[in-house]
Amino acid sequence: RTRLENDVAVDRPGAMGAYKYLEELWRKKQSDMMRFLLRVRCWEYRQLPAIHRATRPTRPDKARRLGYKAKQGFVIYRVRVRRGGRKKPLRKGINNGKPVNAGVNKIKWKRNLRSLAEERVGRKCGALRVLNSYWVAQDAAHKFYEVILVDPQHKVIRDDPRINWLCAPTMKHRELRGLTSAGRQHRGLRHKGHKSNHMRPSIRATWKRNNTQSLRRYR
């Protein structure tokens, strides 16, 4: 190719960058290469502690889409979470009360496992702020997530106008209050339009507003 042909090849609309190729690879999780990679990674992650720091993101394209930058102040933690329902912890399965509350098995957790992973990392790394998270692997017993954390005291973070909003005191433990992407998902805030007004600002706030009688005060 001539130099002009190379320039034209790069500038055409269909040309894909490296991150786009990575994205396409992760879309085809049933391909032989990805099945082998994920199987080996699952084995490796099982040998590591449940919460450990990763040197770099396993999915750099996904991490960058969620706000990660390869610079000082950004940290990646990998978390292992148990899959499946949540059995009620009762001695000998005895639940004293009404039969409607007597269930022990088939109890489902209300939130998604990604928000649970964020919560566990946020508790372990209390000085850092949870930005976002994404799925990396799973097997029959566990799911593995990588959580993007930011150091709010780092000068590089505080001086960057694109990320220093996370340094505000109101952003402490966003993951515990359902303010991250996974938290908004389990609160039902991904939906807009018909019937979504029952979700805002929250289901309980809507119930309270609809069930509270407010009368004008006589003066």
Side-chain angles (χ1 to χ4, degrees), residues 19-34:
Y19 289 123
K20 191 68 176 175
Y21 276 107
L22 278 176
E23 184 184 347
E24 290 300 314
L25 282 175
W26 276 93
R27 284 182 190 274
K28 306 290 189 293
K29 295 182 180 65
Q30 287 293 312
S31 65
D32 290 345
M33 184 199 69
M34 287 302 294

Side-chain angles (χ1 to χ4, degrees), residues 79-209:
V79 200
R80 184 176 72 230
V81 182
R82 291 282 295 187
R83 294 179 64 180
R86 290 293 172 263
K87 186 176 178 180
K88 199 180 291 184
L90 297 172
R91 183 174 173 274
K92 295 186 177 180
I94 299 170
N95 191 353
N96 298 316
K98 302 288 191 294
V100 69
N101 298 318
V104 175
N105 296 312
K106 300 185 179 180
I107 305 294
K108 276 72 174 179
W109 206 51
K110 297 291 185 184
R111 288 159 45 193
N112 52 50
L113 293 180
R114 189 157 70 93
S115 70
L116 175 63
E118 291 178 352
E119 177 184 330
R120 289 184 179 171
V121 178
R123 290 184 189 279
K124 189 174 180 66
C125 308
L128 303 178
R129 305 278 164 86
V130 174
L131 178 62
N132 221 320
S133 62
Y134 53 90
W135 177 94
V136 285
Q138 70 183 50
D139 57 17
H142 302 97
K143 283 195 177 189
F144 301 91
Y145 297 96
E146 285 185 358
V147 183
I148 306 168
L149 298 116
V150 177
D151 183 0
Q153 306 302 326
H154 202 289
K155 188 177 186 302
V156 175
I157 300 298
R158 298 182 81 88
D159 291 345
D160 187 350
R162 289 173 296 184
I163 195 63
N164 63 6
W165 56 270
L166 208 54
C167 301
T170 52
M171 294 299 163
K172 292 178 182 177
H173 290 293
R174 304 166 67 235
E175 71 284 352
L176 299 179
R177 296 178 287 134
L179 301 182
T180 59
S181 178
R184 290 175 60 81
Q185 182 181 7
H186 80 74
R187 288 167 60 200
L189 298 179
R190 291 279 177 88
H191 303 287
K192 294 181 179 179
H194 182 55
K195 290 189 177 180
S196 66
N197 55 338
H198 299 297
M199 304 293 184
R200 287 180 176 82
S202 69
I203 296 175
R204 292 190 180 196
T206 306
W207 179 89
K208 187 175 182 181
R209 185 178 69 239

Side-chain angles (χ1 to χ4, degrees), residues 26 34 36-46 58-59 136-137 144:
W26 276 93
M34 287 302 294
F36 173 75
L37 263 181
L38 291 173
R39 192 168 74 242
V40 172
R41 280 179 180 159
C42 271
W43 176 87
E44 181 190 359
Y45 297 160
R46 282 198 300 269
T58 306
R59 302 173 62 180
V136 285
F144 301 91

